[in-house]
Amino acid sequence: MIGAAYFESNLPALTLLGRGKVRDVYKVDEHNLLFIATDRLSAFDVVLQTGIPNKGKLLNQLSLFWFDLLKELGPNHLITADVDQMPEIVRQYKDQIEGRCMLVKKLTMLPIEAIVRGYLSGSALKEYNASGTVHGIQVPAGLKNSEKFPTPIFTPSTKAEVGIHDENIHPDRAAEIIGAERAAKLAEQAIALYTKASEYAATKGIILADTKFEFGLDENDNMILGDEVLTPDSSRFWPVDKYEVGRNQDSYDKQYVRDYLESISFDKQTPIPLPDDVVTRTRDKYLEIYRILTGKDVQV
């Protein structure tokens, strides 16, 4: 057995606003929230019974790395990840939350997940094989598994509650939900972030196949990058030296778990435990991509 996973936070002095698939969110004051990245693992929008030890710390620290790298492209919600710089009501829980928390600006989150795809994979591949489209968007004919699109494409989805599947939608549907001007800005910003991140990843020998961003609005209606960014939970990372069109790729992300669940005919509804070897292999993949991208070890 490997070490225990941090599955759920317990900060009784703070008001718990919700537990997502991975994050627990607490109210700090009228303007600020505390995000706690737990070690929970979800696949196919189901939170599994088994967590990945220290995954939350890795996701948190990798997000901090990307927030810093991408800050010139626009504002994000991060205030600080240093517990010593947080209010006293938060600091009392330092031993529990250090390395896996962020103090962030409170935003009104947009009900759209801003997915950008540079390569044909995952649910997009399934749709393409069935209809020749991706999120209802007509793309070139004759593409193969894992093939690169001519340019990155904005492929939004709805943002579902825990336990309910997100729905892939056409960009026109996103415009109907949040307004055409805001949807266009969302697409432009998401593609810009993906492009810079993928260019950086390429210098480390990594293909960023696709990723998901989430944005919210501040009190002045400005669109702000929120949630996590460019982690193995929200992205597909492939080693460029093993990349080969026409097959599923080796990956440093949740695809290993998805493939295992598919192999056992997982019903994509019932939370189940994972065997130790799958937990260990997944943890190792997450640790490896962190080291490759940042050049550092995770502070645990």
Side-chain angles (χ1 to χ4, degrees):
M1 290 289 290
I2 58 180
Y6 180 82
F7 211 79
E8 191 172 280
S9 63
N10 179 28
L11 315 181
L14 295 169
T15 300
L16 177 66
L17 298 179
R19 300 192 194 276
K21 294 167 188 170
V22 174
R23 264 156 218 80
D24 293 346
V25 181
Y26 291 85
K27 177 180 177 180
V28 176
D29 55 41
E30 292 306 312
H31 303 289
N32 301 314
L33 303 175
L34 184 70
F35 277 23
I36 309 293
T38 72
D39 296 338
R40 295 193 293 268
L41 179 69
S42 71
F44 304 110
D45 296 313
V46 177
V47 178
L48 303 171
Q49 289 184 17
T50 312
I52 308 296
N54 290 321
K55 180 175 82 78
K57 291 186 176 183
L58 183 150
L59 297 185
N60 202 65
Q61 292 168 43
L62 188 54
S63 285
L64 294 173
F65 169 82
W66 286 114
F67 277 137
D68 183 62
L69 187 74
L70 301 172
K71 61 188 177 185
E72 67 185 46
L73 296 180
N76 62 66
H77 68 161
L78 177 67
I79 298 171
T80 184
D82 182 353
V83 179
D84 291 333
Q85 301 299 315
M86 296 181 188
E88 172 58 32
I89 195 171
V90 176
R91 292 201 302 270
Q92 63 182 304
Y93 299 114
K94 180 177 179 177
D95 289 349
Q96 182 185 162
I97 66 175
E98 189 168 30
R100 61 170 74 247
C101 67
M102 293 182 193
L103 185 70
V104 302
K105 301 169 189 172
K106 183 179 179 181
L107 302 174
T108 302
M109 298 306 292
L110 296 175
I112 298 293
E113 294 191 336
I115 300 167
V116 181
R117 300 180 189 273
Y119 294 75
L120 182 62
S121 185
S123 62
L125 175 63
K126 290 182 180 179
E127 179 188 333
Y128 180 80
N129 286 340
S131 64
T133 60
V134 173
H135 290 237
I137 303 165
Q138 203 66 46
V139 295
L143 294 177
K144 298 177 182 178
N145 184 357
S146 304
E147 191 163 350
K148 188 176 184 179
F149 293 117
T151 57
I153 55 177
F154 174 64
T155 56
S157 74
T158 59
K159 190 155 40 176
E161 297 296 321
V162 175
I164 301 174
H165 295 294
D166 299 334
E167 178 188 354
N168 290 347
I169 58 174
H170 190 280
D172 289 349
R173 177 60 182 143
E176 292 173 0
I177 295 171
I178 63 173
E181 184 177 347
R182 185 164 286 154
K185 184 178 180 182
L186 182 70
E188 179 183 12
Q189 183 72 356
I191 289 174
L193 291 166
Y194 169 86
T195 299
K196 177 157 186 173
S198 63
E199 289 171 352
Y200 172 82
T203 69
K204 303 296 183 179
I206 295 296
I207 293 170
L208 174 60
D210 54 51
T211 195
K212 175 201 75 174
F213 300 106
E214 296 193 29
F215 291 84
L217 304 177
D218 67 9
E219 66 275 10
N220 297 315
D221 218 31
N222 298 311
M223 198 167 72
I224 310 293
L225 179 62
D227 198 59
E228 67 174 23
V229 281
L230 295 151
T231 73
D233 268 14
S234 63
S235 315
R236 284 186 174 88
F237 295 110
W238 300 337
V240 68
D241 60 353
K242 296 181 180 178
Y243 173 66
E244 183 182 350
V245 173
R247 64 170 178 85
N248 292 338
Q249 305 302 307
D250 296 331
S251 62
Y252 298 108
D253 49 57
K254 282 199 296 189
Q255 194 59 44
Y256 181 78
V257 176
R258 296 188 193 101
D259 290 345
Y260 163 75
L261 292 171
E262 293 276 24
S263 76
I264 62 169
S265 300
F266 178 54
D267 67 8
K268 301 181 182 179
Q269 294 181 344
T270 308
I272 63 170
L274 294 173
D276 283 355
D277 64 312
V278 174
V279 171
T280 299
R281 185 75 180 110
T282 303
R283 181 193 58 175
D284 290 348
K285 282 177 172 287
Y286 276 47
L287 289 170
E288 188 171 0
I289 191 61
Y290 181 91
R291 294 186 187 112
I292 291 170
L293 291 171
T294 70
K296 301 175 182 177
D297 288 324
V298 180
Q299 299 302 306
V300 297

